Amino acid sequence: MSRERFYVTTPIYYVNDAPHIGHAYCTVVADVLAGYHRMLGIPTWFQTGTDEHGQKAQLAAEARGISPQQLCDEYSQVFRDLDRRLEIRYDDFIRTTEERHKSVVTKVLAALWAKGEIYKKDYEGFYCTRCERFWSDTEVAAHGGNCPDFPELHGKVPRLAEPNYFFRMSKWADELKRRIESGEFEILPEKRKNEVLGYIRGGVEDLCISRAKSRLSWGVTLPFDADFVCYVWLDALFNYETAVGYLSEPVRHAKWWPADLHVVGKDILTTHAVYWPTFLLAVGEPLPRRLLAHGWLLDAEGLKLSKTKKAGGESVAVPPLARTPAIDEMLSVLGVDVTRWALATAMKYGDDARFDWDLVISRVNAELANGFGNSVNRVLRMAQQSSGGRLAARRPGNEREQGLQRAAEAAIAAVRAVPDTLDVLAVTIAVRAAVDAVSQYLDEERPWKTAKDPANLPRVAEVLSWCVETLRVAGLALTPVMPAKAASLRASFGVAGLFDFERESQFGFLAMGTQLGEPPNLFPRVDPKSIPDAAASG
């Protein structure tokens, strides 16, 4: 992929309820990817935000007895607050109720209408309010009359008959298929690409892009018919272009569009991999370069971790005060950086993964507390005892010591590969391998035993020097995942001044005689008894 710049987005999150761990996961993944690109010196723009129009927001506001705008203001702030607590470094937070966005949507609708890409016809079919989506008879029948996406959660789908406006999505299906197969529009992982191609081969129908104001008033009014508002997905998806100056700032738009990466959950794959690119094709805009559709975080019973669920399609009243209990508890127990690490490394992209407190505690204690943290503490403590914390010179290493250097360099190689692979897990696996190599090296050299003879202290110092450099480089590789912990490590290893990845990523960067710091309490063990019973809900 091009390394000239990197524009990455999360989905814009819907505001009819508080954010849950799935939202936090997706945002952290995008933030970490943005962080790796910035660390590599690649100009980066990272955007997130909230999706605020549509029937769900209107119904949630009515249930609360407040206006839709009041509800949007309240819940959009909750998402902003979550980003702040997770130390998310976005460049723009867009809201679809902003004038800059509504103006773009109105102009897009007018252009599509003028081109003949939108037409009006009477429509009768099944409509799921909670999905805000029409479904075909075949799709609903295949699920016993229930919502095809969430049959148990959303329940029976009512049938509606009304005039509506349709976008000629079927017109662009073959061109979209060609772009996907050629890799011009890359869908990751491969199995999600195959799902989308299967969907297209099954026949793409034209898409209803309006809702009658008699049923839904909370939306962008169609510029060619004031009795209708725009379907929330056409409205929402253009946020990705609005945010970089589409139809308002041509120079900035030319700099950042097309997007390099959309990060989304697999449940909104079709809207992002079929609806969105066909809208773009119709208005003559370049398609995004890559779409990464991640899986779901599951609880111990294999159920999706999500907001409060109620079976049967019944509405769930939104509480007056939005809270994010599971995320609150994670931040309280683990702290920001370890929470970010737990989320960023929770699963291989595209797969679902179990995510509950038992698993999180096990991983934190094994990989961070007993692994990385313990190795750093052992090495720095012995360095203080054997050489006053001064870094010793290293002679050309033996095979084991060269192995340490190779392990550290493999972690940096994984970092440099992120723009192409998007594989943060590969970085963390390489870091763990480097830490394990240090642990094994220490067990073989046993410097704590060798140091009992003062004549051996020069060799002890040399052994610890190899360990310090390996652990320093490993910590550097995790900087975008755990910025504060990485900064603490950097200081403990005696690195000062402005951060310079290119220089600091070189094995041997630390000069002989560098004063090392005291062992930090980097990753305290987590006591399972400290976890509240309700912490893993949400």
Side-chain angles (χ1 to χ4, degrees):
M1 296 301 293
S2 169
R3 298 195 179 205
E4 295 179 359
R5 49 85 162 173
F6 182 61
Y7 173 29
V8 59
T9 73
T10 70
I12 50 172
Y13 301 117
Y14 211 72
V15 294
N16 65 320
D17 205 345
H20 54 74
I21 282 182
H23 296 120
Y25 168 80
C26 187
T27 305
V28 166
V29 166
D31 181 71
V32 168
L33 288 169
Y36 276 111
H37 283 76
R38 292 189 189 108
M39 191 164 77
L40 291 168
I42 299 171
T44 297
W45 190 265
F46 170 32
Q47 185 222 307
T48 185
T50 45
D51 179 4
E52 302 184 13
H53 288 128
Q55 195 159 10
K56 287 184 285 189
Q58 180 173 303
L59 292 175
E62 290 171 357
R64 288 270 305 283
I66 60 176
S67 72
Q69 189 64 61
Q70 284 177 287
L71 179 127
C72 292
D73 291 345
E74 178 181 318
Y75 278 89
S76 183
Q77 188 59 51
V78 173
F79 278 94
R80 283 180 183 266
D81 289 343
L82 175 62
D83 288 345
R84 174 183 53 78
R85 288 185 294 139
L86 288 169
E87 299 184 4
I88 302 299
R89 292 179 55 201
Y90 56 73
D91 296 286
D92 195 357
F93 186 103
I94 192 167
R95 300 178 59 184
T96 56
T97 52
E98 294 177 54
E99 285 303 319
R100 62 169 171 159
H101 180 66
K102 290 190 289 185
S103 173
V104 166
V105 173
T106 300
K107 291 174 182 177
V108 165
L109 287 165
L112 290 172
W113 177 254
K115 287 183 171 185
E117 297 289 348
I118 294 174
Y119 63 93
K120 188 178 184 180
K121 74 171 184 178
D122 290 335
Y123 181 80
E124 179 177 349
F126 291 98
Y127 181 74
C128 177
T129 299
R130 297 182 73 181
C131 288
E132 299 197 41
R133 176 174 176 177
F134 284 102
W135 294 99
S136 70
D137 293 4
T138 302
E139 290 170 321
V140 173
H143 293 83
N146 293 329
C147 167
D149 261 1
F150 300 98
E152 295 182 1
L153 179 59
H154 294 179
K156 297 294 181 182
V157 183
R159 194 170 182 83
L160 295 177
E162 62 182 22
N164 261 307
Y165 288 89
F166 287 76
F167 166 63
R168 300 184 190 278
M169 193 160 70
S170 59
K171 170 183 173 181
W172 299 100
D174 288 344
E175 177 61 14
L176 174 59
K177 178 173 173 287
R178 185 190 71 77
R179 303 270 186 117
I180 294 171
E181 289 178 335
S182 70
E184 182 179 342
F185 176 41
E186 186 178 7
I187 300 173
L188 302 169
E190 186 76 11
K191 63 182 175 182
R192 302 295 175 221
K193 170 185 172 181
N194 293 335
E195 286 177 23
V196 173
L197 289 173
Y199 179 93
I200 295 172
R201 294 185 189 107
V204 174
E205 298 180 352
D206 290 348
L207 179 68
C208 178
I209 54 90
S210 66
R211 300 293 183 264
K213 282 189 176 178
S214 58
R215 182 160 54 83
L216 168 64
S217 60
W218 185 238
V220 177
T221 298
L222 298 188
F224 42 83
D225 193 331
D227 291 331
F228 291 83
V229 297
C230 178
Y231 172 45
V232 68
W233 273 110
L234 189 152
D235 167 1
L237 288 164
F238 273 92
N239 89 87
Y240 303 126
E241 284 217 73
T242 297
V244 291
Y246 182 47
L247 302 179
S248 62
E249 299 177 70
V251 174
R252 191 161 75 93
H253 182 255
K255 176 181 178 180
W256 292 110
W257 192 260
D260 294 279
L261 180 67
H262 292 320
V263 181
V264 303
K266 67 178 183 179
D267 48 333
I268 51 175
L269 174 63
T270 302
T271 50
H272 281 80
V274 179
Y275 296 9
W276 176 223
T278 55
F279 294 158
L280 291 171
L281 289 169
V283 297
E285 281 293 294
L287 302 194
R289 290 169 176 160
R290 286 194 286 186
L291 173 69
L292 173 62
H294 63 74
W296 288 342
L297 298 177
L298 308 175
D299 63 19
E301 298 177 352
L303 301 175
K304 180 186 177 186
L305 287 173
S306 185
K307 49 196 149 188
T308 304
K309 299 175 183 177
K310 195 170 184 180
E314 301 172 54
S315 63
V316 180
V318 179
L321 295 176
R323 292 190 65 250
T324 53
I327 306 168
D328 292 343
E329 297 295 350
M330 286 187 72
L331 290 168
S332 174
V333 173
L334 303 178
V336 176
D337 275 33
V338 177
T339 295
R340 287 170 57 92
W341 175 86
L343 290 168
T345 63
M347 60 181 163
K348 181 181 178 181
Y349 299 148
D351 294 342
D352 296 339
R354 177 186 158 206
F355 190 85
D356 57 53
W357 270 116
D358 288 343
L359 181 60
V360 169
I361 292 171
S362 174
R363 291 185 60 231
V364 168
N365 285 341
E367 296 182 35
L368 298 183
N370 297 343
F372 206 156
N374 183 52
S375 292
V376 169
N377 280 318
R378 291 171 72 193
V379 168
L380 290 179
R381 186 173 59 251
M382 285 187 286
Q384 294 294 341
Q385 293 169 352
S386 64
S387 62
R390 292 286 180 181
L391 191 71
R394 292 182 306 279
R395 293 168 296 179
N398 59 33
E399 178 57 33
R400 286 178 301 173
E401 290 158 348
Q402 291 172 8
L404 291 179
Q405 181 170 345
R406 286 194 297 270
E409 291 172 345
I412 296 302
V415 168
R416 295 190 186 282
V418 165
D420 298 317
T421 65
L422 305 176
D423 197 346
V424 174
L425 271 180
V427 177
T428 61
I429 290 169
V431 167
R432 188 163 69 244
V435 172
D436 289 345
V438 167
S439 180
Q440 182 178 351
Y441 177 66
L442 287 172
D443 289 343
E444 292 169 348
E445 288 288 339
R446 301 172 68 83
W448 55 88
K449 183 176 180 180
T450 307
K452 291 178 181 179
D453 183 348
N456 294 329
L457 289 180
R459 174 55 184 165
V460 169
E462 186 179 22
V463 166
L464 296 177
S465 179
W466 282 100
C467 295
V468 164
E469 269 298 85
T470 305
L471 293 172
R472 182 191 64 78
V473 173
L476 176 67
L478 288 180
T479 299
V481 181
M482 299 190 286
K485 298 290 186 184
S488 176
L489 268 174
R490 185 173 182 264
S492 295
F493 289 135
V495 184
L498 294 176
F499 181 85
D500 186 334
F501 174 76
E502 290 304 324
R503 292 179 64 237
E504 295 177 32
S505 62
Q506 300 302 311
F507 195 91
F509 164 74
L510 282 184
M512 180 182 66
T514 296
Q515 180 64 57
L516 304 175
E518 294 291 331
N521 187 20
L522 202 60
F523 301 113
R525 281 184 58 80
V526 180
D527 182 357
K529 295 179 181 178
S530 68
I531 309 302
D533 292 340
S537 65

